Amino acid sequence: MYPEKLEKFLLKVQKPGRYTGGELNSVIKDKREVDIRYAFCFPDTYEIGMSHLGMKILYALVNAREDAWCERVFAPDTDMEAVMRENDIPLYALESGEAIKDFDIIGFTLQYELCYTNVLNMLDLAGIPVRSENRESLTPLIIAGGTCVCNPEPMADFFDITLPGDGEEVTNELIDLLKEFKKQGKGKKEFLEAAAQIPGVYVPSLYKVEYNDDCTVKSVTPTCGAPEKVVKRNVKNLDTMFAPETFVVPFIETVFDRTTVEIFRGCIRGCRFCQAGFLSRPLREKSPETVFSQCKAICDSTGYDEISLCSLSTSDYKGLEKLLGTLIPWGDDNKINVALPSLRIDNFPKDLMEKLNTVRRSGLTFAPEAGTQRLRDVINKNVYEKDILSTCAQAFAGGWTAVKLYFMIGLPTETNEDIEGIARLAQAVVDEFYHMENKPKGKGVSVSVSLASLVPKPFTPFQWEPQDKPDVLTEKQDFLVSCVRTRKVNISRHVPWTSFLEGVFARGDRRLCSVIETAWRSGCRMDSWEEHLDREKWNAAFEQCGIDPFFYTARARSFDEVLPWDHMDYGVTKKFLQRENEKAHRGETTQSCREKCSGCGAARLNGGECNELCAAVV
Amino acid sequence: MNSVRLWYKKSGLAIYTSHLDMNRCFTRAVRMAGIPLWYTEGFNPHPYLNFLLPLPLGTGAEKDPIDIRITEDISFDEIKSRLNAVLPGGIEIVAVTEPAIKVSEVAKAGYEIILEFLTPEEACAFAAGALAVIESGELNAEKRSKRGIKTVNLCSFVSSFDASSEGGRVKIKAVISAGPAENLNAALLADSLLKEFGASAEKTEITRTEIFTADGKIFI
Ligand code: SF4
C-alpha cells in the first residue's frame, strides 16, 4: 500500500508499479500483534532490489517470526523523490504504506559502494538523522549487512550496527535482544554495548580510530568491552539453514524475472581479484535434494517459469549432475527453464551441456578476465585459450553465433601486450567461426567484449595494490579499441570514473564519512547510474573535506600497514592473502581447494572443517 | 484444444500495472492455477494468452476479455476459482465464457471517467463546458499513432458522451472508438477536455465499463 496522499501523483511518475506494493505473496500482518517492525531497505531502485536474493531470504526469515513484521523499502527514483519532498510524503514501507521512521529496525543491504549516498538519502527522506550520534532513542536502529560491510568504515558514522557474514542466524539473535531491551525500556547505548557481545555484530561507535601523520590508520581500539576482532557469521549447514519457500512476485518487470535458488556458498577457485570468493569461504554446499525441493516449492508459489541456480561457480557444485538429473526432466514436464549462470567451461561435462541445451539456449559467455596466459596466471584465473576456442568451435557447430567475453584491465603487472592479447583472443574466436567447415550460410559471428576495470578490494590478495587512475584506464581502453581490426568484435567499456569512486570507498576509512555526507548534501545520489554520477560535486566534496581520493586508490600499501578493515575477521588470514599476493607477482598459480587446501584460514569458522578438506581426507 | 474467454476486473493498485506486465502476471497466474495452457509451436514456445483490448497504464476495467487456449477440459467455474486464488489483489476474474464474437468485431468501448475538483463550482462548470465542447463537434488534440504524432479531432471518435457533476466530482460516461482499427485512449480525452478549459483535476479515475461491436452490440 502507499500513503493516500501519494495517489494523485502516481500516474505522473515513471513506473508507478514500483511504489504501490500489493504484489502477490507480499506479507501483511496486524501491526498491533507484532513486537518488532523491520524495514528492509534496498538502496537502489525497485527493479534491482527485487532481483536480489539476500532480500528475499531476510524478508521470509523475519516474517516467519510471529513477533516481527518485515516490510520492503527501495530507493525512489529522482522523479518520485521530488514528488515526495514537495508534498511532505516521508519514505514508507510497501506493505503497510506507513512511514518507516517509527519502525524498530531499519536494515540496509550494501551490495555496491556507489549506493552509499542512497542510504543517506533514504534515511533523510524517512525523516531520520543520518548520523548515528544524532539518533538518541533506542529505535529505529539503523543496521546494515551485505558484501560491502566487510569494510564498514566509510559508513561507520551512519550505521548503529553492521553485520559481517551470513545474516540468517544473527538477524534473529539481534531481534530477540532488541525485543528484550525495548520491553525493559533500556537505552540505545546499553543496547549497543550488549549487542556488541553477539558474535558477528559490529558497533562502529564502540571503536576508536587513530591515524598516523601520513593519514594511514595507526590503531583501532575497542571500548566498552567490544571485541578486538569482529568475526563474520558463518552458517555451517546449508541444508538446515532457513531458505524461503516463496517470494514476492512483482507486478512490473525486474532485472531478473525468475526464481533463484542458492546451491552453495564459498568458492574453491581463488581468483585473486574476486572479493566474493574470499568473503564467502569456507565452501558449504546444499544437497541436491534440498535444492530440488526448494526449486519446486518456489515455482509452485510464484508461477515463475525460470529457475536460476545461484552460486559463485555453478559447475564446481559437486551435486550438479545429480541435481540436473532430476531438475531438468521436472522442468521439461512443467515447462520451466533452468538457467545456470556462473558456468565455467573448463570442467563442464559435455553431455550435461547437451542436456541443458534442450531446455534453454542461453548465450555463450566466458570470463578469461585477462588477455594473456601470463596475466591469467597472475590473477589465478585458470582458463586456457585452447579450452575457450574448442568450446566455441563446438558451440558454433551447434548453431551458436554470439559469444560474450568478459575482461578486466588495470590488473597488477599488466603491459600493453596483455591488453593487445584481449583483441587477439577475441579475434581468435572470430577466426574459429570462419574456419568451421560447415559454417551456416549467410550468418556471421558476433563477439562482444565487456571490459571492466580492476577495483582492488579488501580481503583479496590485491588489497595492497594500487588502482589505475581514470585517465590511465581510458588510455588503456582506447589502446584496446585501436587493436581491434574487425567489426565482428564489439567492445563495451565501463566508465573509469565509476571504478575510481568505487575504489575509494572499497578501501576507505572513517574520514570518508564526511565526504559522503557532503556529496549527498550537495545533491549526489543514484551514483551507480551514469546519468546521475556528478563528478564535479564529488570532487568538490573531497576538496571541501580536505581529502585526496587518490590516497585510497592510487597508493601501493605495504604489507605491514594497518588496514582500515583489519578489525574485521572474514576467516581468510592476512598472511594467506599476502602469500597469494607474492605468488601473483611471481606469476605463480594456486590450485583450487578441490585439488589442494592452501590453508586460507576460513576453515576455522566452521570449527576447523571445510567441505573441501573433508573431501580430501576421505 | 478449447478456446476460453476470461473476463477480468482491474482496479485499485493493479491499475498501475502496464499491459506488458499484465501479460506476465496472467501467464504466471495461469501456471500456478495449474490450468493446462496451450503453447505456441516453434523455436521459442510460449503460452497462448491474448488480451483483446490492451488497457493503458492507469485505466481500470470492469470486465475486460483475455482469450486463452487450453489443452484439457476444465469447467469454467473451476478456471475462475483457481485463478482467483492466485491472482494478486486488484485483479479478479469475474466470468469465464466461450468466445462468442470475434475480436475483429470490436469497435467501441464505454468508459466512466471520474474527475475530482477542489470546488463544486469548478466541477459544475467543467461538466457543462465538456458537454458543450463535445456537442460542438470539435476538440483537437495531438494523438500518438504508429505513424507518429498527429493532430486529430477527438470528437470524431466519440459515439456518445454525457457529463454530470455532484459536489466536486464530475462523472463522464463516454463511448469511444476502440479496437485494432481505430482506438482512442480515454485518458487523452479527459486530458484534452481539461486542457481546453485550463482546468486541472485533483484526481482522475478511468474505468472501461463495456466493449461494443460496430453496430452497438455488447461484445461477448
Ligand atoms: S580451508 Fe583450505 S580448502 Fe577450505 S577454503 Fe580455505 S584453502 Fe580452500
Side-chain angles (χ1 to χ4, degrees), chain A residues 1-2 7-8 10-13 15-17 20-25 249-254 257 299-305 334-336 361, chain B residues 12-18 20-22 24-25 27-29 31-32 37 39 43 47 57-59 85-89 91 201-205:
Chain A
M1 238 359 249
Y2 50 83
E7 182 157 354
K8 63 177 179 185
L10 273 175
L11 285 171
K12 301 198 168 81
V13 298
K15 301 194 199 168
T20 59
E23 306 95 324
L24 184 69
N25 298 336
V249 184
F251 282 111
I252 67 166
E253 188 168 11
T254 56
D257 248 321
C299 282
D300 283 350
S301 69
T302 59
Y304 275 124
D305 58 3
N334 295 282
K335 301 211 165 59
I336 289 171
R361 274 164 171 255
Chain B
L13 296 177
I15 67 163
Y16 301 107
T17 310
S18 71
L20 262 178
D21 292 332
M22 281 296 278
R24 293 177 322 106
C25 172
T27 310
R28 282 193 301 253
R31 292 176 54 84
M32 281 171 77
L37 264 196
Y39 274 62
F43 188 65
L57 189 73
T59 299
V86 295
L87 279 167
I91 304 174
E202 283 300 289
K203 201 172 140 186
T204 309
E205 246 181 68

Side-chain angles (χ1 to χ4, degrees), chain A residues 143-157:
Chain A
I143 69 175
T147 323
C148 293
V149 303
C150 71
N151 177 18
E153 297 307 286
M155 293 291 280
D157 292 351

Side-chain angles (χ1 to χ4, degrees), chain A residues 281-282 593 597-603 610 612-613:
Chain A
R281 285 183 179 207
C593 296
C597 170
S598 42
C600 73
C610 180
E612 295 307 313
L613 284 172

Side-chain angles (χ1 to χ4, degrees), chain A residues 414-440:
Chain A
E414 181 177 72
T415 63
N416 275 356
E417 198 180 316
D418 299 306
I419 296 170
E420 243 182 296
I422 297 176
R424 216 179 302 126
L425 184 50
Q427 181 68 51
V429 172
V430 172
D431 293 346
E432 199 66 44
F433 182 84
Y434 288 105
H435 290 159
M436 200 176 14
E437 277 179 17
N438 312 312
K439 64 171 173 296

Side-chain angles (χ1 to χ4, degrees), chain B residues 150-162:
Chain B
K150 250 192 351 195
T151 302
V152 295
N153 181 3
L154 297 189
C155 290
S156 65
F157 295 87
V158 178
S159 310
S160 77
F161 185 92
D162 184 39

Side-chain angles (χ1 to χ4, degrees), chain A residues 109-126:
Chain A
T109 179
L110 297 188
Q111 301 297 327
Y112 187 30
E113 291 82 356
L114 295 196
C115 291
Y116 288 176
T117 49
N118 290 354
V119 171
L120 274 59
N121 201 40
M122 287 171 81
L123 288 173
D124 185 63
L125 271 169

